[in-house]
Amino acid sequence: MKKYIILIPLLLISLVSFSQTRTVSGIVTNIDTGEALPGVSILIKGTTNGTYSNFDGEYSLSNVSAEQIIEISYLGFESKEVLANRASINIQLKENVQELDGVVLIGYGSQIIKEVTGAVTIVDSEAIEKIKPTRVEEALQGQAGISVTPSSGSPGSAPKINIRGISTNGDSRPLILLDGAVIEDLSVVNPSDIASMSVIKDATAGIYGVRGANGVILITTKSGRKNSDLKFRFDAYTGIQQTTKKMDLLQPRDYAILVNEAAANGGDSPVFTLYPTTGTDWQDQVFKNAPISSVNFGLNGGTTKSNYDFSISHLTQDGIVGGDKSNFNRSTARLNYSIDLVKNLKLSTTTTYINTNRKILSENALGSVLFNALSAPPQLLVRDTNGDYTKLPNTGLGIEVVNPLAQIENTYNQSQVNKISGSYGLNYRFLEYFQAESNIQLNYADVRGKSYFPELFYGSGKVFNTVSSEAELTDDVNSATVDESGTVYKDYTFDAFIKYERKFDKHDIKALLGTSIFKTVGVNLYNKKGYAPTGNTLKSASVENSATVDDNLAINNTPKISFDSRLLSYFTRIQYAYDGKYLASAVLRRDGSTNFGPKNKFGFFPTASVGWVVSEEDFMKDVSFINLLKLRSSYGVLGNDRIGAYGFVSLLDGEGVYVLDNALTYGKTIGKLSNPEIRWEKQKPFDIAIDLGLFDKIDITVDYFNKKTEDLLVTPQVSGILGVYAPGSGAPTINAGTVENKGFEFSIGYNEKISEDFNFNVKYNITSLKNEVLFVGSDTGVLESGSFGVGQDPIARMEAGKPIGYFYGYKTNGVFQTQAEIDGAPIQLDAEPGDLRFVDVSGDGKIDADDKTDLGNPIPDFTMGFNMSVDYKNFDFSLYAFASLGNDIVRDYERNLPLVNRPTYFLDRWTSEGTSNSFPRVTTEATQNSLFSDFYVEDGSYLRLQNIQLGYTVPESLTTKIKLDKVRLYASATNLLTLTNYRGYDPTASTGEPIGGGIDRGFYPTPKTFFVGVNVNF
């Protein structure tokens, strides 16, 4: 009986305990906006009992006792713990700005940076705000592993972006997504609209398949928040642009002395009997202070079920060369709108309209405006005694050197782009752990171009003349012409995928399965040339009012559809994390492209990445100064199909000319040679890295990367016997090359809040890069490109064992001082004292083509970025600098003719024995001094102060009186200072081409700009 008496209280205790277990439920919301938060992790502390909030923020947890603790965590919000002492517990979470900064877009999703296993660079809106870029690319310059090469400093010019080196000699552009929609050109993006940018640099870009082989740039624009009031923002700035440099050219007297000396050395009569002392500084005439201004207006807000953000902007920029003849303006309008249609179903939309107008001048080429400003004789005046533009002589100057002021005035052209981009998606949450999402992305661009060529006579024999004599300018014959063209580019991308996300015990699993369809089409609307138009301006002259018109599309039998390319893809990704310590991700993607034939149309591309958060281990708990220590690595295979469409089959798109009934008839013939065996270009990127955080103040990242590209898609040199030089024909595309890029990235950042009024932040990064061609599959083992001077062989090469695009020419060893030196040296034809001495590299006792060798390359060995920001009370200051070390530039802006002007370094020329051993004599006779050699190759290393800005935020006590939330005034300068030994205009000079980049033919310099601006929120 005693047994049962003892058991009764034990039974009662257990019954009471059981009765205290309950179901706890509630809603999770944003404390500031009241917005319901879906996908919030709800977990009983120390157990595996957990769940996620649904689309409406609702959650329910069973088997919960009153003394247990509920842990709540959500990406971008502060974590929270509450006691489970009630059956109904509503939870409010506060946004964590630092946590939000740590959110990274990774493709079809996001992660907190702690769990990212790939190499990702993040640029936030604050960084963009401080740089005030006119183009988005400027905000990426100086970021670790990202190279931004300006193609020109002219307004609207598009820089080239390479991520971790040049991996192909074809199209090396990264994939760019704006709110999930693919865009080809960053000029259509208003930088002020950007909330954040993520750049994926390694194999984890494989989730985007073929289009992500060269890296991925993910741009997220600003959006409103639910349950928030209508807010407005206004940003505006205006500024003046100036050239960063004018080259030191010979003054009229020194010029005349040099011209006569060259004539005497060549056995010719002197050109000048009196030395002139006055003339024209052609650079002063060409370079102008140019205005730039930008205005942005936006609004955002939200209701209980929707949020929105709308913005409009306008940018206008004149050129420092040519003023409004070199102009770019951009107008944009953007609307982001999201709404909860029904329970668990959300619609997200982004619509953007862009209008750009651009006028350009000839640049970076023989006969370009700056080339002519450097070459024009300095003793001549801009205008003659009649008030007309002075005509430059033909003899001794070349047929392409004309009066640059007349050239600017007589240039009439404009290109206009109207583009609409949209992304529209539905997201549906179901069965607690699943999401289904579909997105349609559309781009439509209407591109129109127009050029007017009035009757022009720049002087006898000039190549830009449209009439053969000055008398024809006043006769009754109208020789003016006008060109007009129109093209439409259309593409769409449809993505559909299912996500599965679940946490249980210490496991966190995310799975993705989807498909993607892409199609892009180019449509030729018209391409016409009108003769003798009645108007005499760009606006009034047109094809419609021309006397006769050529329809170029009809004459050349050009098809209406210029290209039609398509992709079909299937992809899956699995991400796994155990206890927040051990991370893994694997992607498999199958891509099919119409650019390849039936045998090679589809390819499988797997990628994988792993990570270990060492700082979460128990043995690290007592190491208080390390707040993050993570090891990560990635590897994979990515495909690339960026070649022309249908290269695997012969097309009738060549130009055929036939004689029928004794008359020429234009028809069609086989165009570019086909290659049915072409296959995917494959990139194999490997990355291993360490992420380290110290004292909650210092962040360090070190990456080693090795990216090998195999089966490069190239166009080889082939024999003319195959007909490749016929109109419309060309060499086939083949797989014939392997390139490797490897190096290190190191970045360190320090953030210190010294007091409530004083914050300090500094960041530095350095990237090393070694580029090497491992294999070239052409008959000669070489691919060539890049011109120099007139009539010389290509100077840039792709060859095994060398960097891609290295310079190939003669190496010099000083200047011959005497005839005895010439007699004792290897045979060098026509050499005289004062000529460059070439090195006999082959050792055969003579100087010939076999002695050409590696003279350097345009790829930098190191790039560095440095930025610093200081906030003190209402003042903020930021500074940003960038450096490039080890890149070479070819100087090709010096025309080798008797009467062109010269830079002042020609004063250091050889004149007699012992006067110079580095600069050859001047002469009018033919010499080998003009052959491409290291004499024309210079170190292009530089350090540039890219941006400096000082701002002041008006105290809130004053702004609230005029019902404004925030007013900030600032002054800024960009491209303020460049330290370099390069003697040309700009050490960033390059076309950006893989083979043939780094050649300066009168590069339009990147301007120096001074801004003042204002930011207003209300």
Side-chain angles (χ1 to χ4, degrees):
M1 185 69 180
K2 290 182 179 179
K3 249 187 342 181
Y4 294 109
I5 293 174
I6 294 172
L7 285 174
I8 288 172
L10 292 176
L11 180 61
L12 290 173
I13 292 172
S14 65
L15 287 171
V16 170
S17 300
F18 180 79
S19 66
Q20 289 179 338
T21 301
R22 61 166 67 91
T23 296
V24 176
S25 62
I27 300 175
V28 187
T29 58
N30 185 323
I31 193 172
D32 295 318
T33 67
E35 177 185 357
L37 299 177
V40 177
S41 174
I42 317 289
L43 182 67
I44 301 301
K45 189 172 184 179
T47 75
T48 61
N49 184 14
T51 186
Y52 289 95
S53 60
N54 65 17
F55 191 74
D56 294 316
E58 300 170 343
Y59 75 94
S60 178
L61 270 176
S62 57
N63 298 324
V64 182
S65 59
E67 70 276 5
Q68 289 183 308
I69 302 296
I70 302 177
E71 294 179 328
I72 306 99
S73 60
Y74 190 51
L75 187 65
F77 287 76
E78 295 178 357
S79 297
K80 193 172 186 178
E81 294 184 354
V82 297
L83 184 64
N85 58 359
R86 302 186 309 278
S88 177
I89 302 177
N90 293 327
I91 301 166
Q92 293 181 317
L93 296 182
K94 184 176 180 60
E95 285 185 301
N96 185 331
V97 176
Q98 292 182 341
E99 183 77 6
L100 285 170
D101 290 341
V103 176
V104 182
L105 296 177
I106 57 169
Y108 304 106
S110 62
Q111 279 184 306
I112 58 172
I113 198 166
K114 179 181 176 181
E115 296 181 357
V116 170
T117 53
V120 182
T121 292
I122 305 169
V123 182
D124 59 22
S125 59
E126 184 178 353
I128 296 172
E129 178 72 22
K130 290 177 179 178
I131 296 174
K132 285 295 175 190
T134 56
R135 290 187 61 106
V136 177
E137 294 95 332
E138 296 169 30
L140 295 173
Q141 179 76 303
Q143 300 295 328
I146 304 171
S147 171
V148 179
T149 305
S151 58
S152 168
S154 62
S157 60
K160 288 208 169 186
I161 301 174
N162 288 303
I163 296 176
R164 290 185 168 178
I166 300 174
S167 301
T168 176
N169 67 340
D171 188 345
S172 60
R173 293 173 300 163
L175 173 67
I176 305 169
L177 292 104
L178 178 67
D179 291 325
V182 176
I183 59 173
E184 295 292 338
D185 183 6
L186 282 169
S187 69
V188 303
V189 181
N190 173 20
S192 296
D193 284 341
I194 296 175
S196 68
M197 286 193 294
S198 298
V199 183
I200 305 176
K201 300 180 290 187
D202 65 345
T204 55
I207 188 63
Y208 288 107
V210 53
R211 290 186 290 173
N214 297 317
V216 180
I217 300 174
L218 304 173
I219 301 175
T220 302
T221 57
K222 296 173 181 176
S223 61
R225 297 190 304 180
K226 291 181 180 178
N227 295 304
S228 60
D229 295 331
L230 177 63
K231 294 291 185 179
F232 298 91
R233 62 183 181 272
F234 174 79
D235 304 312
Y237 65 79
T238 186
I240 291 293
Q241 306 165 97
Q242 302 173 348
T243 182
T244 52
K245 181 179 181 179
K246 287 197 304 179
M247 292 179 59
D248 293 328
L249 301 179
L250 296 176
Q251 296 299 308
R253 177 180 174 81
D254 290 332
Y255 163 81
I257 292 173
L258 212 70
V259 166
N260 279 356
E261 182 181 318
N265 289 338
D268 299 324
S269 301
V271 176
F272 294 93
T273 55
L274 294 175
Y275 292 143
T277 57
T278 60
T280 300
D281 186 327
W282 293 100
Q283 293 182 98
D284 275 349
Q285 296 296 321
V286 166
F287 284 120
K288 302 294 182 183
N289 289 341
I292 179 174
S293 62
S294 174
V295 177
N296 304 275
F297 177 79
L299 58 87
N300 61 59
T303 66
T304 55
K305 290 190 175 183
S306 67
N307 60 281
Y308 55 87
D309 188 284
F310 174 76
S311 70
I312 56 175
S313 71
H314 180 74
L315 166 76
T316 182
Q317 179 184 14
D318 280 353
I320 57 174
V321 177
D324 62 359
K325 285 295 186 77
S326 176
N327 170 271
F328 175 76
N329 65 73
R330 178 188 65 222
S331 299
T332 68
R334 177 188 56 85
L335 173 63
N336 284 358
Y337 180 71
S338 298
I339 184 171
D340 302 338
L341 297 175
V342 294
K343 183 177 180 179
N344 294 351
L345 180 62
K346 181 178 181 180
L347 171 68
S348 299
T349 70
T350 299
T351 303
T352 306
Y353 168 75
I354 308 101
N355 170 268
T356 63
N357 290 273
R358 189 183 182 204
K359 300 176 183 178
I360 61 173
L361 297 169
S362 175
E363 56 181 276
N364 202 24
L366 290 174
S368 63
V369 171
L370 284 179
F371 183 93
N372 290 335
L374 296 176
S375 301
Q379 85 283 4
L380 298 180
L381 300 179
V382 174
R383 296 182 182 269
D384 59 25
T385 54
N386 297 323
D388 298 323
Y389 282 113
T390 299
K391 295 176 177 60
L392 305 188
N394 184 21
T395 304
L397 271 182
I399 60 175
E400 81 285 350
V401 180
V402 300
N403 187 322
L405 278 299
Q407 186 178 15
I408 291 172
E409 183 168 307
N410 291 311
T411 298
Y412 302 91
N413 64 70
Q414 183 174 5
S415 62
Q416 183 182 74
V417 178
N418 283 288
K419 183 173 183 178
I420 297 177
S421 296
S423 177
Y424 310 95
L426 288 170
N427 179 283
Y428 180 66
R429 292 177 176 268
F430 62 101
L431 297 179
E432 190 173 1
Y433 305 115
F434 289 89
Q435 297 179 53
E437 188 167 329
S438 64
N439 296 284
I440 181 75
Q441 305 152 26
L442 307 168
N443 289 299
Y444 179 93
D446 186 308
V447 181
R448 307 295 171 110
K450 183 178 181 181
S451 298
Y452 170 61
F453 302 93
E455 292 185 320
L456 299 174
F457 185 74
Y458 289 107
S460 177
K462 296 297 183 181
V463 70
F464 300 118
N465 291 340
T466 59
V467 296
S468 56
S469 68
E470 195 161 7
E472 294 183 30
L473 296 175
T474 56
D475 62 17
D476 295 331
V477 179
N478 184 355
S479 300
T481 61
V482 60
D483 294 337
E484 296 182 16
S485 63
T487 309
V488 166
Y489 301 95
K490 300 181 288 186
D491 68 70
Y492 76 83
T493 303
F494 176 75
D495 294 326
F497 50 89
I498 293 177
K499 290 181 179 179
Y500 171 80
E501 298 180 355
R502 186 180 181 186
K503 286 184 179 180
F504 60 95
D505 296 336
K506 296 183 178 182
H507 308 280
D508 187 351
I509 297 176
K510 297 178 182 179
L512 174 74
L513 178 65
T515 184
S516 180
I517 302 169
F518 171 75
K519 178 180 180 180
T520 179
V521 177
V523 181
N524 293 311
L525 301 179
Y526 57 87
N527 188 327
K528 297 181 178 181
K529 189 178 192 70
Y531 298 89
T534 56
N536 59 4
T537 65
L538 181 66
K539 185 176 181 179
S540 61
S542 69
V543 168
E544 289 184 0
N545 62 26
S546 297
T548 58
V549 176
D550 284 345
D551 187 335
N552 295 324
L553 297 181
I555 291 173
N556 299 322
N557 285 318
T558 303
K560 195 75 171 176
I561 304 298
S562 58
F563 62 85
D564 183 343
S565 296
R566 309 177 190 196
L567 292 169
L568 174 62
S569 306
Y570 306 96
F571 54 89
T572 184
R573 177 178 64 199
I574 296 177
Q575 296 167 276
Y576 175 74
Y578 179 76
D579 199 20
K581 305 175 187 178
Y582 312 112
L583 315 170
S585 176
V587 173
L588 178 62
R589 181 146 178 153
R590 182 177 188 256
D591 286 314
S593 171
T594 57
N595 291 344
F596 304 109
K599 295 181 181 178
N600 302 304
K601 191 174 295 295
F602 282 91
F604 286 91
F605 305 106
T607 60
S609 60
V610 295
W612 178 26
V613 186
V614 183
S615 52
E616 291 295 314
E617 295 288 357
D618 291 338
F619 61 80
M620 294 290 294
K621 296 299 183 183
D622 295 331
V623 187
S624 59
F625 66 91
I626 297 180
N627 49 282
L628 174 66
L629 175 58
K630 181 174 68 175
L631 305 177
R632 54 180 169 82
S633 183
S634 63
Y635 178 76
V637 180
L638 288 75
N640 188 0
D641 75 334
R642 292 198 174 189
I643 56 174
Y646 302 112
F648 62 91
V649 66
S650 297
L651 300 177
L652 288 174
D653 58 357
E655 183 181 327
V657 182
Y658 307 93
V659 179
L660 300 175
D661 297 328
N662 294 321
L664 291 178
T665 302
Y666 296 94
K668 285 292 185 184
T669 187
I670 293 176
K672 182 178 177 179
L673 299 184
S674 65
N675 175 17
E677 301 299 323
I678 53 173
R679 59 190 180 275
W680 293 87
E681 181 177 285
K682 295 185 290 292
Q683 287 191 16
K684 298 180 178 179
F686 169 75
D687 182 275
I688 187 168
I690 180 171
D691 298 321
L692 179 63
L694 303 173
F695 305 104
D696 287 318
K697 298 177 181 180
I698 301 172
D699 296 309
I700 299 173
T701 298
V702 182
D703 282 78
Y704 167 78
F705 62 90
N706 185 311
K707 182 168 61 173
K708 184 181 292 186
T709 307
E710 299 175 349
D711 291 332
L712 256 70
L713 293 162
V714 302
T715 302
Q717 286 95 21
V718 298
S719 172
I721 298 175
L722 299 177
V724 294
Y725 300 115
S729 185
T733 300
I734 64 173
N735 296 93
T738 302
V739 175
E740 181 182 63
N741 290 276
K742 59 184 178 181
F744 288 91
E745 295 173 4
F746 171 81
S747 63
I748 183 170
Y750 176 76
N751 187 20
E752 177 70 73
K753 186 173 184 178
I754 299 173
S755 69
E756 286 298 321
D757 295 328
F758 190 17
N759 294 323
F760 176 77
N761 181 281
V762 61
K763 295 179 181 178
Y764 169 79
N765 71 76
I766 182 171
T767 300
S768 69
L769 176 66
K770 181 181 180 182
N771 175 283
E772 183 180 359
V773 177
L774 303 181
F775 168 71
V776 178
S778 66
D779 291 340
T780 60
V782 171
L783 295 177
E784 297 179 318
S785 188
S787 62
F788 177 83
V790 178
Q792 296 195 37
D793 293 334
I795 65 168
R797 286 187 155 201
M798 177 179 174
E799 182 179 3
K802 302 290 185 180
I804 191 169
Y806 82 96
F807 302 129
Y808 183 71
Y810 294 101
K811 187 176 181 181
T812 61
N813 184 23
V815 174
F816 286 120
Q817 300 295 318
T818 64
Q819 185 61 44
E821 283 188 13
I822 298 173
D823 295 339
I827 299 172
Q828 186 171 322
L829 294 178
D830 302 322
E832 294 185 20
D835 287 340
L836 293 172
R837 180 206 296 262
F838 295 141
V839 175
D840 181 17
V841 174
S842 66
D844 61 0
K846 61 181 179 181
I847 303 299
D848 55 20
D850 292 337
D851 295 307
K852 291 183 178 181
T853 188
D854 181 359
L855 302 180
N857 68 85
I859 302 174
D861 298 321
F862 299 93
T863 56
M864 291 180 281
F866 173 82
N867 61 68
M868 178 183 70
S869 64
V870 178
D871 297 328
Y872 179 69
K873 293 187 176 181
N874 292 64
F875 290 93
D876 60 90
F877 172 80
S878 64
L879 178 149
Y880 172 59
F882 173 75
S884 176
L885 304 176
N887 55 296
D888 297 303
I889 301 179
V890 172
R891 194 178 71 247
D892 191 26
Y893 49 76
E894 301 162 358
R895 191 72 162 95
N896 185 37
L897 288 169
L899 295 183
V900 297
N901 199 7
R902 308 284 189 181
T904 54
Y905 48 74
F906 271 71
L907 296 175
D908 297 326
R909 69 203 178 279
W910 185 94
T911 55
S912 61
E913 182 180 354
T915 54
S916 175
N917 195 38
S918 59
F919 210 98
R921 65 190 175 118
V922 293
T923 180
T924 56
E925 66 180 338
T927 72
Q928 292 190 344
N929 294 334
S930 60
L931 294 179
F932 178 62
S933 67
D934 58 8
F935 176 71
Y936 298 98
V937 180
E938 296 191 19
D939 180 11
S941 301
Y942 66 92
L943 169 63
R944 172 167 287 174
L945 181 56
Q946 195 84 1
N947 181 272
I948 185 170
Q949 184 174 137
L950 177 65
Y952 176 74
T953 300
V954 178
E956 189 175 344
S957 59
L958 297 178
T959 58
T960 53
K961 293 180 180 179
I962 53 176
K963 299 187 182 305
L964 298 177
D965 296 333
K966 179 183 177 181
V967 177
R968 177 178 177 268
L969 309 173
Y970 66 89
S972 177
T974 64
N975 201 15
L976 191 61
L977 175 68
T978 302
L979 303 177
T980 182
N981 290 324
Y982 179 59
R983 292 181 288 190
Y985 281 123
D986 195 327
T988 65
S990 180
T991 61
E993 296 299 321
I995 308 176
I999 302 174
D1000 184 358
R1001 302 181 183 91
F1003 186 80
Y1004 194 127
T1006 305
K1008 173 170 52 182
T1009 309
F1010 299 92
F1011 296 103
V1012 290
V1014 61
N1015 311 127
V1016 180
N1017 295 342
F1018 58 98

